[in-house]
Amino acid sequence: MAMSDAAWAKHANPWSVYSRVIGGSLVFVALWSPFWIGYWGVLAILAAVLWVRINPRMFAAPKHTDTWATQGVLGERAFMNRAAVPIPMHHRFAASVTSGLAGFFMLIVVAAFLMHDFWLAFTAWHAATLAKLWFCDRMVWLWADMKAATDQYRAWDAADW
């Protein structure tokens, strides 16, 4: 999503994280809506795309970093920066497992959409969401290990956006 530092800081707000989790179910409904309402469903899909785009940018940066959601976002940033600041192998492994599970469930979602099987798609979508939440939890652990690794990470941990 090519977010700037300011957008990442806003996305670290717990309201951004939790509203994206809840909004994920609405995105599913939007994607399924063409099966229910035909071409009008395209409007629901466009609204979902807009939501996914603006959500990380619509909240203020948090004033502190002591929440699970904020630490998960900061861990994700550290994970994405692993080429510049290496992370421990066990964190890379955990991220691969949780992301792999989410990807596997999304493949099932695609197959279910192709078969027009609502309940399979619904179940797999939410299983992918749970795998993503597990990934986020692992990013909290990563952040705990990495927050003192660089001056930049220490500034983020102090909410010095």
Side-chain angles (χ1 to χ4, degrees), residues 25-108:
S25 294
L26 298 176
V27 170
F28 173 81
V29 169
L31 292 173
W32 193 265
S33 67
F35 293 116
W36 291 325
I37 58 176
Y39 288 108
W40 287 104
V42 172
L43 294 175
I45 292 170
L46 290 174
V49 168
L50 181 64
W51 170 253
V52 168
R53 177 76 181 152
I54 66 170
N55 174 274
R57 296 161 177 84
M58 65 188 279
F59 298 96
K63 297 189 184 329
H64 54 80
T65 62
D66 61 354
T67 66
W68 179 88
T70 298
Q71 292 172 17
V73 171
L74 294 173
E76 187 175 7
R77 281 200 82 184
F79 179 76
M80 291 175 62
N81 193 40
R82 67 191 177 279
V85 181
I87 64 172
M89 179 62 84
H90 64 280
H91 289 299
R92 288 189 294 180
F93 177 75
S96 294
V97 168
T98 55
S99 295
L101 277 172
F104 171 74
F105 287 122
M106 288 309 291
L107 288 174
I108 295 172

Side-chain angles (χ1 to χ4, degrees), residues 28 32 35 104-125:
F28 173 81
W32 193 265
F35 293 116
F104 171 74
F105 287 122
M106 288 309 291
L107 288 174
I108 295 172
V109 169
V110 170
F113 267 77
L114 292 173
M115 296 183 302
H116 297 229
D117 186 332
F118 174 83
W119 289 111
L120 179 60
F122 179 86
T123 302
W125 181 276

